[in-house]
Amino acid sequence: MIDRIASFGRSSIGFVISIGRAGQFLGGVLSGIPRPVTGFPLLLKQLYSVGVLSLAIIVVSGLFIGMVLGLQGYTILSDFGSEAAIGQMIALTLVRELGPVVTALLFAGRAGSALTAEIGLMKATEQLSSMEMMGVDPLRRVIAPRLWAGFIAMPVLAIIFSMVGIWGGMLVGVEWLGVFEGSYWGNMQASVDFRDDVINGVIKSIVFGFVCAWIAVYQGYDCVPTSAGISSATTKTVVYSSLAVLGLDFVLTAVMFGNF
Amino acid sequence: MTQRTTDIAVGLFMLAGLAALLFLALQVSGLSPKSAKSTYTVYADFNDTGGITPRGRVSMAGVTVGSIDSITLNKETFQARVAMSIHGEVDNIPADSAAVIRTSGLLGEQYIDISIGGDMDSLEPGDTFYATQSAMNIERLISNFASGK
Amino acid sequence: MEAKDLKVRAMGLGSYISLKDVVFSRSGRRIFNGVTVDIPRGKITAIMGPSGSGKTTLLRLIGGQLRQDSGSLTVDGHAISELRRKELYKFREKMGMLFQSGALFTDLSVYENVAFPMRVHTKLPEDMINDIVLMKLEAVGLRGARKLMPSELSGGMNRRVALARSIALDPELIMYDEPFAGQDPIGMGVLVKLIRDLNSSMGLTSVLVSHDVKESLSICHYACIIADGKVIGTGTPEELQAHPSEQVQQFLNGHPDGPVPFHYPSSAATEDFGLAGGAS
């Protein structure tokens, strides 16, 4: 029994230490203001690999999720004879919740794991070390552009996800099931507020982008530089990012939409 | 993958994001550039506001002409005082118009409908509606009906 | 006392790096237990020792990537562990290091890899960078490979490109971490030649960490053998060959048993084979 308590204590201490290290790491990354001349092309390159290359999976999943929402919403709402509210339902779920959350989960799987593996491999092949020995701080040169890219790409991806989803919902609801197009958009416009719903959704995805990118680069930078270490770091990235996104989503929702 | 293709792809990506945000703003949340224009405030006193909430819709003949700003209790008359902002271009609401709380559909949200009067004068900013009709309360309706009044 | 000998000689040339009673331990394991070495300016010094004796750690201490627990370490008169972060990064521009794996940036071409330090640290115009890169690549015999990506190079070529990159800024000091490990005889010959040429033509102070005794002794001016966290022998190659210590002789000649035992420390064999009590 005492042993269990002790081991729990040990793991708690380990947890706190790793949080502290991650915080220190973040401080190191963000401490230097990126030099625009050299920094910008690096950022563009990372935006490409983190953002543009994630676009396909985001668009496809957005489309399907919108279509499923349309189908499910129609079945449920037609019981009350209010299938015209389908647009409102799809738009609110996507803009407030599914857009930011599902994008973040997909992002963690697609881009986060790639970031971790890439940085882990750079560490294992001593590229980070050699950069350090050349008098170049890898935190600024390698880590910072990746962190910023994740931070910028996530909201953009989430917005695109919501838009595609709403369009997919319209495909099913309006084109297939025959909801009147005017009431699809009309109900939507009446109930979705730009500041309260769209902007809050964007804020959520900015937070998620930051957290996912942070976890991904930290796990890569901190991994044990062997193939086993890299693979376990990649797994950790996906697991921790997903948990962090879902947990934070609850907190943010409570703050933004809860009435207290 | 040359630097230039990367630049173009990222540029398109960011543009797509902006376009999507614009879509969400205009088409989904119905934010029209017009609504940023000037508004003026008028008031209405209701006995029962029912379920209307701040930022709710104010309409005239079904067309949205403004939104509800605030709902406060008037401590002297024990009525609810609702402040609403009306779009600046709708500046000729007859002074004897009535503010009516309506429900869209059976279960829909409640909004304020302005039923138009016949006065030649118009409501000025800061004026109060002459007549109001409070929210229809289904429970009260049913109990009235049951007691045969 | 050997350390003293070397030091006296090093003083004559001016020692570039000097370690005094350096103690270092990592994750509870003591790696250096009072190491004193002087590395003379403009010469090739080989640091040799069995695997796991902390040779690479020594290079990282010199490069400031790790800090010693106690003792002093100076490079060109500067105490590395007392430099501030910024000064350290500035100071490292004077150092080149060739990593065991080459450590080329996998997303850049050979040309860009060599140009990298210049692009970061200097504001040289593009045509000048071009000239320098081609010159450095020429020096390692790979000017023709400038358009290739690191993944298209063989292990030996990889290391040569990395060498070209580490001398791009004309450093004063170059450190080689196991340059011969995993090389075929030709690749090894090429590297031996390159290390020697670079040293003589540019007057670089070179530190070579290796456990390849033959190659190291063939090119170094001085050598130093580390084992068990201590310096067990120093001197010129000839002096070491004639060194009286058994431990040094075992390492140089590769005897399987000696002061460094063949058996990993264990309990008496009789116990493990279940003969306890009966056999003794």
Side-chain angles (χ1 to χ4, degrees):
Chain A
M1 187 62 201
I2 294 292
D3 281 355
R4 286 229 187 112
I5 294 173
S7 86
F8 177 69
R10 235 191 339 270
S11 57
S12 316
I13 291 171
F15 178 71
V16 172
I17 287 175
S18 69
I19 295 267
R21 273 226 305 275
Q24 245 177 2
F25 164 79
L26 186 65
V29 175
L30 299 182
S31 65
I33 298 148
R35 282 184 294 172
V37 183
T38 52
F40 193 65
L42 292 174
L43 178 65
L44 274 186
K45 203 167 159 193
Q46 292 313 318
L47 267 178
Y48 180 80
S49 63
V50 162
V52 177
L53 294 182
S54 308
L55 203 55
I57 188 177
I58 292 294
V59 167
V60 172
S61 346
L63 186 66
F64 279 112
I65 286 193
M67 283 161 58
V68 167
L69 280 176
L71 215 51
Q72 289 283 13
Y74 184 85
T75 333
I76 295 166
L77 289 173
S78 63
D79 285 352
F80 303 99
S82 48
E83 57 267 27
I86 188 177
Q88 164 181 1
M89 192 205 84
I90 293 174
L92 283 181
T93 10
L94 278 173
V95 169
R96 283 185 180 180
E97 286 296 332
L98 288 184
V101 172
V102 176
T103 308
L105 295 180
L106 291 172
F107 183 89
R110 164 67 185 74
S113 57
L115 281 180
T116 307
E118 193 192 5
I119 294 172
L121 207 64
M122 289 180 90
K123 185 176 182 185
T125 55
E126 295 175 312
Q127 293 182 44
L128 296 183
S129 252
S130 78
M131 209 173 260
E132 220 170 273
M133 284 304 301
M134 277 185 240
V136 179
D137 189 348
L139 286 183
R140 294 198 195 150
R141 180 85 191 182
V142 175
I143 309 292
R146 284 169 172 76
L147 190 73
W148 284 111
F151 184 60
I152 296 171
M154 180 80 86
V156 176
L157 289 171
I159 292 169
I160 293 176
F161 183 94
S162 298
M163 181 190 78
V164 174
I166 289 169
W167 183 70
M170 192 198 74
L171 276 189
V172 169
V174 176
E175 306 288 328
W176 181 20
L177 298 170
V179 175
F180 177 54
E181 189 175 354
S183 52
Y184 183 82
W185 294 117
N187 272 325
M188 197 184 283
Q189 290 172 3
S191 58
V192 177
D193 182 77
F194 183 70
R195 208 183 58 80
D196 280 13
D197 298 320
V198 177
I199 293 296
N200 273 347
V202 172
I203 291 174
K204 269 189 184 181
S205 65
I206 290 176
V207 174
F208 295 162
F210 186 70
V211 171
C212 284
W214 179 21
I215 291 177
V217 293
Y218 175 69
Q219 289 296 341
Y221 190 76
D222 197 49
C223 78
V224 183
T226 59
S227 28
I230 294 173
S231 78
S232 97
T234 315
T235 314
K236 275 188 201 158
T237 297
V238 176
V239 172
Y240 291 171
S241 309
S242 309
L243 287 179
V245 164
L246 295 172
L248 273 174
D249 183 48
F250 173 74
V251 174
L252 288 174
T253 306
V255 171
M256 287 171 176
F257 302 107
N259 288 317
F260 44 71
Chain B
M1 182 56 55
T2 65
Q3 183 66 37
R4 185 158 174 74
T5 357
T6 314
D7 291 357
I8 294 172
V10 173
L12 287 178
F13 172 69
M14 298 305 286
L15 278 182
L18 272 182
L21 185 66
L22 212 64
F23 171 83
L24 288 186
L26 298 181
Q27 181 73 346
V28 174
S29 59
L31 193 78
S32 65
K34 270 184 278 172
S35 72
K37 276 194 191 166
S38 67
T39 56
Y40 64 94
T41 308
V42 292
Y43 300 93
D45 295 315
F46 291 98
N47 290 326
D48 183 358
T49 58
I52 62 169
T53 50
R55 296 195 316 90
R57 197 154 69 92
V58 178
S59 75
M60 231 166 130
V63 180
T64 304
V65 294
S67 61
I68 298 167
D69 277 343
S70 67
I71 303 167
T72 49
L73 184 70
N74 184 337
K75 279 210 269 188
E76 281 157 26
T77 58
F78 297 107
Q79 279 186 312
R81 188 165 179 78
V82 175
M84 55 195 111
S85 35
I86 308 290
H87 296 170
E89 72 266 30
V90 189
D91 55 359
N92 56 349
I93 302 172
D96 62 344
S97 299
V100 183
I101 295 178
R102 290 231 166 95
T103 310
S104 56
L106 186 60
L107 299 167
E109 61 174 338
Q110 292 186 311
Y111 63 98
I112 294 181
D113 187 53
I114 299 173
S115 79
I116 298 134
D119 205 323
M120 296 305 287
D121 292 336
S122 305
L123 276 177
E124 294 295 320
D127 281 358
T128 302
F129 277 99
Y130 169 71
T132 60
Q133 187 182 323
S134 291
M136 181 176 60
N137 189 324
I138 293 184
E139 282 170 44
R140 199 184 298 151
L141 268 186
I142 292 172
S143 67
N144 286 355
F145 179 72
S147 61
K149 281 184 191 165
Chain C
M1 53 183 182
E2 286 86 15
K4 235 177 239 163
D5 286 355
L6 181 54
K7 193 169 183 177
V8 172
R9 277 196 305 257
M11 293 295 256
L13 293 157
S15 81
Y16 189 74
I17 302 173
S18 106
L19 281 78
K20 197 161 188 308
D21 296 325
V22 167
V23 175
F24 179 77
S25 43
R26 184 152 56 175
S27 28
R29 201 168 75 87
R30 181 149 286 200
I31 295 173
F32 294 132
N33 196 2
V35 167
T36 302
V37 184
D38 283 274
I39 292 172
R41 188 185 293 272
K43 297 282 172 190
I44 302 176
T45 306
I47 312 268
M48 293 187 286
S51 306
S53 58
K55 303 184 297 292
T56 304
T57 310
L58 188 72
L59 293 189
R60 287 182 189 268
L61 282 171
I62 296 173
Q65 288 185 309
L66 297 171
R67 278 182 187 196
Q68 73 270 26
D69 300 338
S70 67
S72 77
L73 193 170
T74 58
V75 177
D76 200 16
H78 299 271
I80 287 294
S81 57
E82 279 156 31
L83 289 181
R84 298 230 312 253
R85 190 181 164 82
K86 216 170 193 166
E87 296 166 332
L88 182 64
Y89 273 99
K90 189 79 197 143
F91 194 73
R92 281 181 183 156
E93 290 173 28
K94 289 202 267 182
M95 299 182 186
M97 180 150 171
L98 180 67
F99 284 84
Q100 200 169 344
S101 58
L104 294 181
F105 302 132
T106 39
D107 53 344
L108 298 178
S109 68
V110 166
Y111 179 93
E112 285 299 322
N113 259 292
V114 180
F116 180 86
M118 286 180 272
R119 290 203 199 287
V120 178
H121 289 305
T122 68
K123 291 199 166 69
L124 293 177
E126 195 55 33
D127 52 341
M128 206 170 204
I129 291 184
N130 185 49
D131 291 350
I132 299 178
V133 170
L134 294 185
M135 227 163 68
K136 301 292 175 189
L137 281 174
E138 176 74 26
V140 297
L142 289 175
R143 189 164 48 85
R146 63 179 178 275
K147 292 217 173 82
L148 298 180
M149 295 303 280
S151 54
E152 296 168 295
L153 300 177
S154 72
M157 282 155 77
N158 218 304
R159 223 165 278 188
R160 277 150 72 188
V161 174
L163 186 55
R165 182 180 66 179
S166 46
I167 56 171
L169 287 178
D170 293 323
E172 295 175 3
L173 165 71
I174 182 157
M175 296 183 271
Y176 302 94
D177 185 7
E178 300 280 5
F180 309 122
Q183 293 290 307
D184 59 39
I186 302 174
M188 219 181 268
V190 170
L191 281 165
V192 166
K193 175 183 175 310
L194 280 175
I195 292 172
R196 193 183 284 144
D197 288 356
L198 281 177
N199 175 258
S200 58
S201 65
M202 298 171 67
L204 288 176
T205 304
S206 312
V207 181
L208 174 75
V209 149
S210 177
H211 49 227
D212 290 289
V213 174
K214 196 165 73 67
E215 282 74 23
S216 307
L217 288 187
S218 74
I219 52 171
C220 70
H221 300 105
Y222 297 104
C224 157
I225 301 176
I226 295 181
D228 305 326
K230 290 252 182 219
V231 176
I232 57 168
T234 54
T236 60
E238 296 75 37
E239 286 171 334
L240 278 177
Q241 297 288 9
H243 203 280
S245 151
E246 260 184 77
Q247 215 177 344
V248 171
Q249 288 306 323
Q250 189 198 358
F251 179 77
L252 290 182
N253 299 316
H255 298 309
D257 209 351
V260 178
F262 170 68
H263 286 288
Y264 189 82
S266 63
S267 51
T270 48
E271 264 175 53
D272 279 357
F273 292 115
L275 302 169
S280 57

